[in-house]
Amino acid sequence: MAEPSTRTVERALALLATICDKGGANLADSARECDLAPSTALRLLRTLESTGFVAKEEVGGTYRPGSRLIQLGAQALSNESLVDFAKPVMEKLVAETGESAYLSVEGHAGTAIYISIVEGTHSVRHASWVGRSVPLDISAAGHALRGRVPDEGYVIVERGVEADVTAIACPIYSEARIVAALSLVVPSYRLSTPQAARYGQILGSAADSLSVGLSRRPNSTLPERQS
């Protein structure tokens, strides 16, 4: 007979909590931690994997928090200190450039996740991608989060994630650690090379002000950068 649905949910949540608490666990460890038969744990983990809440490594079989869980966490961050702290600077950035400003953090499995936006003032502007992830390797935000930034202090990526869109991004630091990226996302047709450089300088100043503020804040609660 099938187990009651509430019991199934409780067991699935227990497995998910174990994987999150440990940062990753294989089938045997997660089943033992939750006092489940391996066959029951495997069935539940497969469901969690198919819905994106966990991801299984091909080598070793370790289960880790999945992209869907990371995205939900990023959306929940909209009420947390980093988003609130950055918002006035982002609003000023939009007032100076007219373009949409994003705040992002590093997510799971080689992605950056947008956690906040202040939309631009142009009639044609980038719509909100809060909660969505983009690849680190091809996005401006991803390069900034990985510290892959030229000497100018900002990185420009054209058509990295979307056709006809250019993104400019800078890293945000807390002390010596990169904790987030600040970026402008601009339709490429209205961004000239000199204008991109000017926006990069404005963005760099905004990111620097956030970095200075975060480094001076006592007991800041910030998202950890994942390796």
Side-chain angles (χ1 to χ4, degrees), residues 111-136:
T111 63
I113 298 178
Y114 294 118
I115 62 172
S116 181
I117 184 179
V118 175
E119 289 196 14
T121 56
H122 294 284
S123 57
V124 177
R125 59 184 181 272
H126 200 269
S128 177
W129 273 25
V130 171
R132 292 184 62 173
S133 60
V134 295
L136 288 172

mmCIF file of all heavy atoms in Angstrom, residues 111-136:
data_model
loop_
_atom_site.group_PDB
_atom_site.id
_atom_site.type_symbol
_atom_site.label_atom_id
_atom_site.label_comp_id
_atom_site.label_asym_id
_atom_site.label_seq_id
_atom_site.Cartn_x
_atom_site.Cartn_y
_atom_site.Cartn_z
ATOM 1 N N THR A 111 26.579 28.483 -12.316
ATOM 2 C CA THR A 111 25.620 29.515 -12.699
ATOM 3 C C THR A 111 25.720 30.741 -11.789
ATOM 4 O O THR A 111 26.191 30.662 -10.657
ATOM 5 C CB THR A 111 24.165 29.002 -12.645
ATOM 6 O OG1 THR A 111 23.833 28.652 -11.294
ATOM 7 C CG2 THR A 111 23.976 27.801 -13.549
ATOM 8 N N ALA A 112 25.241 31.847 -12.332
ATOM 9 C CA ALA A 112 25.004 33.061 -11.542
ATOM 10 C C ALA A 112 23.498 33.248 -11.471
ATOM 11 O O ALA A 112 22.783 32.969 -12.432
ATOM 12 C CB ALA A 112 25.652 34.270 -12.207
ATOM 13 N N ILE A 113 23.003 33.712 -10.332
ATOM 14 C CA ILE A 113 21.569 33.888 -10.145
ATOM 15 C C ILE A 113 21.277 35.343 -9.834
ATOM 16 O O ILE A 113 21.884 35.942 -8.949
ATOM 17 C CB ILE A 113 21.043 32.997 -9.012
ATOM 18 C CG1 ILE A 113 21.263 31.525 -9.361
ATOM 19 C CG2 ILE A 113 19.564 33.250 -8.767
ATOM 20 C CD1 ILE A 113 20.809 30.574 -8.282
ATOM 21 N N TYR A 114 20.348 35.915 -10.589
ATOM 22 C CA TYR A 114 19.914 37.288 -10.336
ATOM 23 C C TYR A 114 19.006 37.308 -9.108
ATOM 24 O O TYR A 114 18.000 36.597 -9.053
ATOM 25 C CB TYR A 114 19.148 37.832 -11.540
ATOM 26 C CG TYR A 114 19.986 38.003 -12.784
ATOM 27 C CD1 TYR A 114 19.679 37.286 -13.947
ATOM 28 C CD2 TYR A 114 21.064 38.869 -12.811
ATOM 29 C CE1 TYR A 114 20.441 37.447 -15.103
ATOM 30 C CE2 TYR A 114 21.826 39.024 -13.957
ATOM 31 C CZ TYR A 114 21.514 38.313 -15.091
ATOM 32 O OH TYR A 114 22.267 38.469 -16.224
ATOM 33 N N ILE A 115 19.343 38.140 -8.126
ATOM 34 C CA ILE A 115 18.541 38.203 -6.900
ATOM 35 C C ILE A 115 17.819 39.538 -6.744
ATOM 36 O O ILE A 115 16.969 39.672 -5.863
ATOM 37 C CB ILE A 115 19.390 37.911 -5.645
ATOM 38 C CG1 ILE A 115 20.498 38.956 -5.461
ATOM 39 C CG2 ILE A 115 19.963 36.501 -5.706
ATOM 40 C CD1 ILE A 115 21.240 38.831 -4.142
ATOM 41 N N SER A 116 18.144 40.524 -7.574
ATOM 42 C CA SER A 116 17.456 41.811 -7.464
ATOM 43 C C SER A 116 17.605 42.583 -8.771
ATOM 44 O O SER A 116 18.593 42.414 -9.494
ATOM 45 C CB SER A 116 18.046 42.637 -6.309
ATOM 46 O OG SER A 116 17.382 43.868 -6.170
ATOM 47 N N ILE A 117 16.617 43.425 -9.069
ATOM 48 C CA ILE A 117 16.669 44.308 -10.228
ATOM 49 C C ILE A 117 16.056 45.654 -9.876
ATOM 50 O O ILE A 117 15.122 45.735 -9.073
ATOM 51 C CB ILE A 117 15.898 43.705 -11.434
ATOM 52 C CG1 ILE A 117 16.042 44.602 -12.676
ATOM 53 C CG2 ILE A 117 14.450 43.485 -11.098
ATOM 54 C CD1 ILE A 117 15.348 44.080 -13.923
ATOM 55 N N VAL A 118 16.621 46.697 -10.452
ATOM 56 C CA VAL A 118 15.942 47.987 -10.557
ATOM 57 C C VAL A 118 15.819 48.231 -12.053
ATOM 58 O O VAL A 118 16.824 48.339 -12.762
ATOM 59 C CB VAL A 118 16.719 49.129 -9.876
ATOM 60 C CG1 VAL A 118 16.021 50.463 -10.121
ATOM 61 C CG2 VAL A 118 16.824 48.862 -8.372
ATOM 62 N N GLU A 119 14.590 48.247 -12.559
ATOM 63 C CA GLU A 119 14.388 48.333 -13.998
ATOM 64 C C GLU A 119 14.761 49.697 -14.539
ATOM 65 O O GLU A 119 14.600 50.727 -13.877
ATOM 66 C CB GLU A 119 12.935 48.010 -14.347
ATOM 67 C CG GLU A 119 12.581 46.550 -14.173
ATOM 68 C CD GLU A 119 11.288 46.181 -14.878
ATOM 69 O OE1 GLU A 119 10.811 46.975 -15.719
ATOM 70 O OE2 GLU A 119 10.760 45.097 -14.595
ATOM 71 N N GLY A 120 15.242 49.698 -15.794
ATOM 72 C CA GLY A 120 15.608 50.935 -16.466
ATOM 73 C C GLY A 120 14.397 51.793 -16.785
ATOM 74 O O GLY A 120 13.250 51.360 -16.647
ATOM 75 N N THR A 121 14.666 52.984 -17.243
ATOM 76 C CA THR A 121 13.589 53.953 -17.505
ATOM 77 C C THR A 121 13.215 54.042 -18.977
ATOM 78 O O THR A 121 12.255 54.735 -19.321
ATOM 79 C CB THR A 121 14.017 55.339 -16.999
ATOM 80 O OG1 THR A 121 15.275 55.707 -17.615
ATOM 81 C CG2 THR A 121 14.202 55.328 -15.488
ATOM 82 N N HIS A 122 13.944 53.379 -19.861
ATOM 83 C CA HIS A 122 13.608 53.389 -21.278
ATOM 84 C C HIS A 122 12.366 52.533 -21.538
ATOM 85 O O HIS A 122 12.097 51.573 -20.804
ATOM 86 C CB HIS A 122 14.769 52.847 -22.114
ATOM 87 C CG HIS A 122 15.995 53.699 -22.078
ATOM 88 N ND1 HIS A 122 16.099 54.882 -22.782
ATOM 89 C CD2 HIS A 122 17.170 53.539 -21.411
ATOM 90 C CE1 HIS A 122 17.295 55.408 -22.562
ATOM 91 N NE2 HIS A 122 17.959 54.620 -21.737
ATOM 92 N N SER A 123 11.630 52.879 -22.594
ATOM 93 C CA SER A 123 10.464 52.069 -22.937
ATOM 94 C C SER A 123 10.876 50.662 -23.357
ATOM 95 O O SER A 123 10.150 49.696 -23.117
ATOM 96 C CB SER A 123 9.659 52.741 -24.060
ATOM 97 O OG SER A 123 10.477 52.944 -25.196
ATOM 98 N N VAL A 124 12.032 50.536 -23.996
ATOM 99 C CA VAL A 124 12.599 49.225 -24.310
ATOM 100 C C VAL A 124 13.713 48.960 -23.300
ATOM 101 O O VAL A 124 14.731 49.637 -23.296
ATOM 102 C CB VAL A 124 13.162 49.186 -25.744
ATOM 103 C CG1 VAL A 124 13.808 47.826 -26.020
ATOM 104 C CG2 VAL A 124 12.072 49.468 -26.769
ATOM 105 N N ARG A 125 13.496 47.997 -22.439
ATOM 106 C CA ARG A 125 14.462 47.712 -21.381
ATOM 107 C C ARG A 125 14.411 46.223 -21.048
ATOM 108 O O ARG A 125 13.491 45.521 -21.445
ATOM 109 C CB ARG A 125 14.150 48.533 -20.134
ATOM 110 C CG ARG A 125 12.770 48.294 -19.551
ATOM 111 C CD ARG A 125 12.504 49.219 -18.377
ATOM 112 N NE ARG A 125 11.187 48.994 -17.775
ATOM 113 C CZ ARG A 125 10.067 49.604 -18.176
ATOM 114 N NH1 ARG A 125 10.119 50.480 -19.178
ATOM 115 N NH2 ARG A 125 8.923 49.349 -17.585
ATOM 116 N N HIS A 126 15.425 45.787 -20.327
ATOM 117 C CA HIS A 126 15.477 44.372 -19.956
ATOM 118 C C HIS A 126 14.477 44.099 -18.852
ATOM 119 O O HIS A 126 14.448 44.776 -17.831
ATOM 120 C CB HIS A 126 16.890 44.002 -19.493
ATOM 121 C CG HIS A 126 17.155 42.530 -19.542
ATOM 122 N ND1 HIS A 126 16.912 41.697 -18.464
ATOM 123 C CD2 HIS A 126 17.614 41.733 -20.546
ATOM 124 C CE1 HIS A 126 17.224 40.463 -18.798
ATOM 125 N NE2 HIS A 126 17.654 40.454 -20.051
ATOM 126 N N ALA A 127 13.631 43.061 -19.066
ATOM 127 C CA ALA A 127 12.618 42.693 -18.083
ATOM 128 C C ALA A 127 13.258 41.916 -16.938
ATOM 129 O O ALA A 127 14.381 41.428 -17.040
ATOM 130 C CB ALA A 127 11.530 41.863 -18.738
ATOM 131 N N SER A 128 12.512 41.803 -15.856
ATOM 132 C CA SER A 128 13.055 41.182 -14.652
ATOM 133 C C SER A 128 13.387 39.708 -14.855
ATOM 134 O O SER A 128 12.551 38.916 -15.267
ATOM 135 C CB SER A 128 12.063 41.321 -13.501
ATOM 136 O OG SER A 128 12.554 40.655 -12.349
ATOM 137 N N TRP A 129 14.628 39.345 -14.516
ATOM 138 C CA TRP A 129 15.076 37.958 -14.507
ATOM 139 C C TRP A 129 15.380 37.496 -13.084
ATOM 140 O O TRP A 129 16.151 36.558 -12.888
ATOM 141 C CB TRP A 129 16.324 37.794 -15.388
ATOM 142 C CG TRP A 129 16.014 37.539 -16.826
ATOM 143 C CD1 TRP A 129 14.892 37.882 -17.505
ATOM 144 C CD2 TRP A 129 16.858 36.857 -17.765
ATOM 145 N NE1 TRP A 129 14.979 37.486 -18.817
ATOM 146 C CE2 TRP A 129 16.174 36.855 -19.002
ATOM 147 C CE3 TRP A 129 18.117 36.277 -17.696
ATOM 148 C CZ2 TRP A 129 16.714 36.275 -20.149
ATOM 149 C CZ3 TRP A 129 18.661 35.710 -18.833
ATOM 150 C CH2 TRP A 129 17.956 35.698 -20.045
ATOM 151 N N VAL A 130 14.811 38.148 -12.087
ATOM 152 C CA VAL A 130 15.099 37.772 -10.705
ATOM 153 C C VAL A 130 14.707 36.313 -10.479
ATOM 154 O O VAL A 130 13.616 35.882 -10.839
ATOM 155 C CB VAL A 130 14.350 38.681 -9.719
ATOM 156 C CG1 VAL A 130 14.460 38.157 -8.286
ATOM 157 C CG2 VAL A 130 14.899 40.096 -9.790
ATOM 158 N N GLY A 131 15.620 35.558 -9.904
ATOM 159 C CA GLY A 131 15.406 34.137 -9.679
ATOM 160 C C GLY A 131 15.898 33.248 -10.800
ATOM 161 O O GLY A 131 15.974 32.029 -10.633
ATOM 162 N N ARG A 132 16.258 33.842 -11.932
ATOM 163 C CA ARG A 132 16.749 33.048 -13.058
ATOM 164 C C ARG A 132 18.266 32.941 -12.996
ATOM 165 O O ARG A 132 18.959 33.804 -12.457
ATOM 166 C CB ARG A 132 16.318 33.669 -14.386
ATOM 167 C CG ARG A 132 14.827 33.594 -14.619
ATOM 168 C CD ARG A 132 14.428 34.133 -15.972
ATOM 169 N NE ARG A 132 15.009 33.377 -17.075
ATOM 170 C CZ ARG A 132 14.695 33.578 -18.352
ATOM 171 N NH1 ARG A 132 13.792 34.505 -18.674
ATOM 172 N NH2 ARG A 132 15.250 32.862 -19.303
ATOM 173 N N SER A 133 18.767 31.876 -13.562
ATOM 174 C CA SER A 133 20.208 31.641 -13.563
ATOM 175 C C SER A 133 20.774 31.778 -14.968
ATOM 176 O O SER A 133 20.080 31.536 -15.961
ATOM 177 C CB SER A 133 20.522 30.255 -13.005
ATOM 178 O OG SER A 133 19.909 29.249 -13.792
ATOM 179 N N VAL A 134 22.042 32.173 -15.037
ATOM 180 C CA VAL A 134 22.764 32.280 -16.303
ATOM 181 C C VAL A 134 24.128 31.621 -16.120
ATOM 182 O O VAL A 134 24.662 31.580 -15.011
ATOM 183 C CB VAL A 134 22.935 33.752 -16.751
ATOM 184 C CG1 VAL A 134 21.588 34.385 -17.066
ATOM 185 C CG2 VAL A 134 23.671 34.573 -15.694
ATOM 186 N N PRO A 135 24.706 31.080 -17.185
ATOM 187 C CA PRO A 135 26.004 30.410 -17.047
ATOM 188 C C PRO A 135 27.106 31.384 -16.645
ATOM 189 O O PRO A 135 27.180 32.509 -17.144
ATOM 190 C CB PRO A 135 26.259 29.849 -18.452
ATOM 191 C CG PRO A 135 24.911 29.795 -19.103
ATOM 192 C CD PRO A 135 24.156 30.954 -18.547
ATOM 193 N N LEU A 136 27.961 30.955 -15.743
ATOM 194 C CA LEU A 136 29.079 31.801 -15.318
ATOM 195 C C LEU A 136 30.038 32.095 -16.470
ATOM 196 O O LEU A 136 30.540 33.210 -16.600
ATOM 197 C CB LEU A 136 29.852 31.115 -14.184
ATOM 198 C CG LEU A 136 29.191 31.042 -12.808
ATOM 199 C CD1 LEU A 136 30.031 30.159 -11.891
ATOM 200 C CD2 LEU A 136 29.030 32.423 -12.218
#
